[in-house]
Amino acid sequence: MRLLILLILTLAAQARTVLVVTADASDFLLAAGGTIASMTARGDTAILLRVTNDEKNSWDLSPDETARRNGLECAEAAKLLGIGKVVSLGYREGELGGVSPTELRDRIMFYIRLHKPDVLFLPNPHAEYVEVLDRHYAGLAAEEASHTAALRNHQPPFAQVGLETHVTRELYYYAQPFDPRRREPESTATFVPQPKVSDIGAMLDRKIRAALALKTINHAVAMRIRDRLESTGRRLPLLDTVNDASVAKLTEINVRTLAGTGAKGTGFQSAEEFHYAGPDFGVPSKFRK
Amino acid sequence: MKLALVWVPLSILAAPLPKVDPPAGKRFLVIQPHHDDHTTDYGMGGLIARLTRMGYEGWFIRASNDEKDGAHGYPHNDMINLRESEAASRILGMKGVYSFNWRNDYMDPTPLLELRAQVILLIRKHRPDIVLGHDPWGHYDRNPDHRKVARACADAVWMAGLRNVHPEHFELGLEPWRVPHQFLKARVDYGRGHEANAAVELSEADVQRKMKAYSAHRNVYASPAMAKSVRAQLAAKGLKAPELDGMTDEQAAVRIEEWHMDWVSRQRGQENGVRYAEIYWYINEFAHLPGLESYIQKNAVKR
């Protein structure tokens, strides 16, 4: 009994706070959902910061209804990954290119100082050929925020209301595998986050269940594929009838294939790829010991 | 301090690229900021010529007003460059040129969402199967117009397919249209971020049209002074180019530019195992779905 209490106390002492920044409802889940689920499963507390309102990502719903459903479904997906809280910044989807980068950075910095995360997940703004540029802009803002959150002269009013500076010790830069050079080590291991692969074999089913919660987005993906194929005289037998079952199957294929791509060359069955900056980041190797 | 420029043949650096045949389709748009971007030496006149030879209809969108390119002063440059762009586009078999007239080389402060809305409108009007343009991920591009138009275009090609984006367009009877294929300009001489992933083979006729289209931009290329300088440099070494004998400096300048276009097309061809080629970053119709692309390619069947 004494041992059990000791174990619980040890685990509780090690529990971390994880802040996940995502541009939209699906990106964090598809690129990093398994790793986030692994962390919450071991007792970490996770918070999701969703930057846009996903008002455009549906097949045939109005912007209001699209935003409403995607908001609810994102919250459900986050819950399935063990994320305890979702905060939506509410920017209009697809329009981050017109938002002040400093404004966005400072809003993310607010939440970094508020929650003082040990781990920050952010869209990798340096990943190339990412189609949805909201992810790029949100990633740039989050990367800057992780830096400025630690600096006293950024947003002095924050300190006036009790939001003290904070250094986040671990950064996971995530992106779906668009960039053909994503596995190449960057120029210097000291000052540039390096490629890292995370085994998600034990969490794959949970990631799939979470992805299935994004019903509106998954349906839109299926309909767009079917529409494109139809317009060029083709069909995908799976999508001859687009219903809950066929959309779910397509979603599962998507998540499993991404996990397989992440695992390629690693010895894992299922994995996710990141660029990672750990506690030693920024410390030249000769000083690390 | 002098800078030494060392040219390293691409063939030493890389294996031949996969050859990509342009997909079957009906229409394409070339979306770039400047009058000559569709005809310069690193692309894309050859591909445009090949597409129109295949029966495609094509339009060129010139996003800037080109007022600074040339020696005739702002308003004259704008009009001369527009006319020459129209002429070059005709040589390549294109249907016409749209000019957005944003201020040349001042496009950094151009509102991205306004520019993107213009592009989305024309994508929905023409419903192109292919868009050609600058690579938005290219590094070291010092031209603000290239960067801004490439970004706007990268958004527009897929956002034009969403019903909740600019729904006012549907009042005109337009419908959402996602552009399935993109060929992005690969400026291999600019380094990382400009690498190509595909080579497009060109015919001799395609290259001939590419050469003529390039030379149509007389306001900025094929300068008689350049030909005069080349002749003087050759003469200083006791040399001459017999093919230029009897030509005026203006005619010789055109010929020299044509040699260059022929050379670069042969060079890209040689690097990729064909006679003539251009190279691009090619994005196919399902590349935006990395977890589903291979499944769709494998399982899609004819209706």
Side-chain angles (χ1 to χ4, degrees):
Chain A
M1 186 63 179
R2 197 176 291 169
L3 200 64
L4 183 65
I5 291 169
L6 194 64
L7 181 67
I8 291 168
L9 286 174
T10 307
L11 283 175
Q14 289 176 343
R16 299 170 301 179
T17 299
V18 178
L19 182 65
V20 181
V21 177
T22 186
D24 52 74
S26 65
D27 193 38
F28 79 102
L29 195 161
L30 293 174
T35 307
I36 295 165
S38 305
M39 291 181 179
T40 60
R42 69 181 281 285
D44 292 343
T45 299
I47 300 134
L48 180 67
L49 191 58
R50 175 173 157 248
V51 175
T52 76
N53 65 356
D54 290 289
E55 67 177 10
K56 299 182 175 76
N57 204 349
S58 69
W59 177 243
D60 55 3
L61 301 172
S62 69
D64 289 350
E65 183 61 12
T66 304
R68 189 186 73 80
R69 288 197 196 183
N70 283 334
L72 291 172
E73 290 164 10
C74 178
E76 177 62 19
K79 193 173 158 190
L80 288 164
L81 294 176
I83 294 173
K85 181 177 181 180
V86 179
V87 176
S88 290
L89 295 185
Y91 290 99
R92 295 183 67 186
E93 184 189 5
E95 302 191 8
L96 290 187
V99 168
S100 154
T102 310
E103 172 196 311
L104 180 55
R105 178 193 75 190
D106 285 358
R107 291 191 71 189
I108 295 172
M109 181 171 76
F110 181 98
Y111 284 97
I112 291 175
R113 289 193 182 177
L114 179 68
H115 293 295
K116 304 200 177 332
D118 303 286
V119 180
L120 177 68
F121 282 84
L122 65 157
N124 189 346
H126 311 290
E128 297 179 348
Y129 300 104
V130 172
E131 181 175 78
V132 179
L133 290 179
D134 277 352
R135 295 168 183 170
H136 174 72
Y137 302 123
L140 281 177
E143 184 182 49
E144 274 192 35
S146 73
H147 173 62
T148 56
L151 303 176
R152 190 163 297 280
N153 287 340
H154 280 267
Q155 284 290 358
F158 284 7
Q160 301 296 315
V161 294
L163 296 175
E164 295 297 337
T165 56
H166 175 70
V167 176
T168 305
R169 290 171 61 80
E170 293 182 80
L171 305 181
Y172 284 78
Y173 290 72
Y174 67 82
Q176 294 175 61
F178 296 105
D179 189 339
R181 281 188 301 238
R182 63 191 181 278
R183 291 272 181 99
E184 291 177 12
E186 295 275 1
S187 55
T188 148
T190 302
F191 295 109
V192 179
Q194 295 298 306
K196 177 187 175 102
V197 174
S198 163
D199 178 12
I200 62 160
M203 291 294 142
L204 185 60
D205 287 343
R206 197 162 160 189
K207 181 174 177 178
I208 291 168
R209 283 200 299 280
L212 292 175
L214 301 176
K215 289 185 174 168
T216 302
I217 290 174
N218 296 338
H219 175 259
V221 169
M223 290 303 292
R224 287 179 201 133
I225 292 170
R226 193 169 89 154
D227 188 54
R228 170 64 193 159
L229 291 171
E230 271 184 5
S231 72
T232 48
R234 294 171 291 172
R235 53 181 269 271
L236 194 60
L238 174 64
L239 298 180
D240 280 346
T241 304
V242 174
N243 54 25
D244 287 352
S246 62
V247 172
K249 182 68 186 163
L250 191 75
T251 305
E252 183 177 342
I253 291 167
N254 190 21
V255 176
R256 285 191 188 281
T257 307
L258 288 173
T261 302
K264 205 169 278 180
T266 66
F268 300 133
Q269 292 293 310
S270 306
E272 288 169 345
E273 299 173 75
F274 300 94
H275 273 63
Y276 174 73
D280 288 339
F281 181 68
V283 180
S285 54
K286 63 181 176 182
F287 297 126
R288 286 183 182 177
K289 285 182 181 171
Chain B
M1 188 178 73
K2 285 185 178 174
L3 290 176
L5 295 178
V6 180
W7 181 76
V8 180
L10 193 70
S11 51
I12 292 175
L13 301 176
L17 294 163
K19 277 188 280 300
V20 168
D21 289 322
K26 293 176 182 166
R27 290 169 295 274
F28 69 93
L29 288 179
V30 184
I31 307 171
Q32 293 183 302
H34 307 126
H35 64 111
D36 57 337
D37 284 330
H38 62 321
T39 55
T40 44
D41 51 342
Y42 36 83
M44 41 192 34
L47 174 55
I48 294 171
R50 178 166 171 181
L51 289 171
T52 57
R53 175 164 59 86
M54 289 168 67
Y56 267 88
E57 289 183 355
W59 286 265
F60 179 49
I61 294 176
R62 180 186 82 145
S64 90
N65 66 359
D66 289 307
E67 65 183 11
K68 298 179 187 67
D69 210 1
H72 292 89
Y74 286 7
H76 295 293
N77 282 334
D78 179 352
M79 293 315 299
I80 295 168
N81 289 331
L82 177 59
R83 280 199 300 272
E84 292 183 353
S85 188
E86 288 165 346
S89 300
R90 274 195 301 274
I91 291 168
L92 293 171
M94 300 175 83
K95 293 286 179 189
V97 178
Y98 293 100
S99 197
F100 288 171
N101 290 313
W102 292 95
R103 195 169 179 204
N104 183 207
D105 290 349
Y106 273 64
M107 289 192 71
D108 254 343
T110 299
L112 179 73
L113 305 194
E114 286 179 35
L115 175 62
R116 184 177 81 188
Q118 294 180 310
V119 177
I120 287 173
L121 181 64
L122 290 184
I123 285 176
R124 286 176 173 167
K125 172 180 161 66
H126 288 291
R127 301 169 73 82
D129 303 283
I130 299 173
V131 155
L132 292 79
H134 281 95
D135 189 331
W137 299 101
H139 299 206
Y140 304 108
D141 196 329
R142 294 170 291 263
N143 191 301
D145 302 356
H146 292 175
R147 294 195 303 266
K148 180 56 68 78
V149 176
R151 274 286 161 87
C153 212
D155 268 348
V157 290
W158 68 275
M159 294 186 81
L162 301 182
R163 194 162 284 280
N164 287 344
V165 172
H166 292 294
E168 67 274 18
H169 294 172
F170 308 130
E171 302 288 340
L172 300 169
L174 301 174
E175 286 293 317
W177 178 257
R178 183 194 168 92
V179 180
H181 301 276
Q182 296 172 69
F183 285 88
L184 303 177
K185 184 177 265 193
R187 295 184 68 153
V188 289
D189 51 341
Y190 268 37
R192 183 167 174 162
H194 291 270
E195 293 91 337
N197 67 354
V200 178
E201 186 175 4
L202 306 175
S203 71
E204 184 156 2
D206 297 335
V207 176
Q208 289 293 323
R209 288 164 76 194
K210 171 181 173 165
M211 287 159 51
K212 300 286 178 212
Y214 181 68
S215 301
H217 298 284
R218 302 293 274 277
N219 193 34
V220 291
Y221 300 126
S223 130
M226 177 270 286
K228 199 169 194 162
S229 165
V230 169
R231 283 171 152 159
Q233 288 179 54
L234 288 172
K237 294 176 183 171
L239 300 170
K240 66 170 191 164
E243 199 179 331
L244 303 182
D245 283 352
M247 288 186 180
T248 63
D249 283 339
E250 189 170 4
Q251 291 166 331
V254 170
R255 192 70 199 110
I256 291 168
E257 298 282 23
E258 288 178 350
W259 286 343
H260 177 58
M261 298 302 278
D262 182 72
W263 172 82
V264 77
S265 305
R266 283 178 191 273
Q267 189 64 29
R268 298 290 171 258
Q270 186 185 333
E271 291 156 0
N272 293 288
V274 294
R275 190 170 177 203
Y276 297 111
E278 284 174 350
I279 58 176
Y280 293 92
W281 186 266
Y282 170 59
I283 297 176
N284 75 43
E285 60 186 332
F286 294 117
H288 61 290
L289 298 169
L292 292 171
E293 182 185 357
S294 58
Y295 175 79
I296 297 167
Q297 306 291 10
K298 193 174 164 190
N299 293 284
V301 294
K302 284 188 177 169
R303 291 174 65 81

